[in-house]
Amino acid sequence: PFKPTSEVSRVNRGELSLEATCDDMHTVLELAEQTKVESSGYFDVWHNGTFNPSGIVKGWAIDEAASLLYRNGFRDFYVGAGGDAQVYGKNAHGEAWTLGICNPFDLKEVVKRVRLDERGIATSGTYMRGKHIYNPLKADDPLEEVVSLTVIGIDVLEADRLATAAFAMGRAGIYFLESLPDVEAYMIVREGQATMTTHFQDYVCA
């Protein structure tokens, strides 16, 4: 959305129709619509008439990169970007990959470490990029209750899109994630309290 020559910018300037965008954009749009339906409208790539798929494309891009490596024979690797990651196989020590969840109140501290194997992880929050997520169902919602929401999913694309949707729900987001199969989550609210879904602890390093 910040690159003048991108398809997103051209759509927003009225120079390009959504139907005329590339196949990858069509895929992202389909995923965005699926997420909107699954979250009862809490995820929407349209805001005040502007098209911005940022809430889904990072996870999609990481997943595409990981899939490319996997198709080319790699089995032990991780791909990470902006705090989100997709992992496969084992690390150099033959162990499951270990990833840390940052303390949103002290960025030098890790509050939880999780072990993952062929899973994706994504975190939505305001502590790194400031306020960049909105509630499509309530425009004046400041979304100040939750400061960090980490999701573990079957892949990083699932984790990223669901983390964004759940963050827009505020404190209720953790219950939405609890209701989904193959999804676990860890939420930190502004008072510093943490809540996790039922089986998130299964991934936490002892």
Side-chain angles (χ1 to χ4, degrees), residues 62-121:
I62 297 170
D63 187 62
E64 285 290 297
S67 297
L68 180 63
L69 289 169
Y70 196 88
R71 289 196 301 270
N72 280 274
F74 294 91
R75 293 295 180 266
D76 299 297
F77 66 91
Y78 82 92
V79 179
D84 301 346
Q86 174 70 45
V87 306
Y88 280 99
K90 308 295 182 183
N91 63 20
H93 303 289
E95 301 170 344
W97 293 99
T98 302
L99 298 95
I101 298 174
C102 185
N103 180 351
F105 306 107
D106 182 357
L107 302 185
K108 298 187 294 291
E109 182 182 356
V110 171
V111 292
K112 290 288 181 184
R113 287 183 173 84
V114 296
R115 287 195 177 94
L116 301 180
D117 183 0
E118 298 195 15
R119 304 288 283 182
I121 187 169

Side-chain angles (χ1 to χ4, degrees), residues 169-187:
M169 300 177 186
R171 292 177 188 254
I174 196 76
Y175 300 105
F176 164 68
L177 295 166
E178 176 72 55
S179 72
L180 302 175
D182 296 318
V183 173
E184 300 300 333
Y186 183 79
M187 178 181 73

Side-chain angles (χ1 to χ4, degrees), residues 104 123-133 146-149 163 167:
T123 298
S124 286
T126 56
Y127 59 96
M128 291 293 285
R129 293 174 52 198
K131 294 182 180 180
H132 62 285
I133 302 173
V146 178
V147 292
S148 175
L149 182 59
F167 191 91

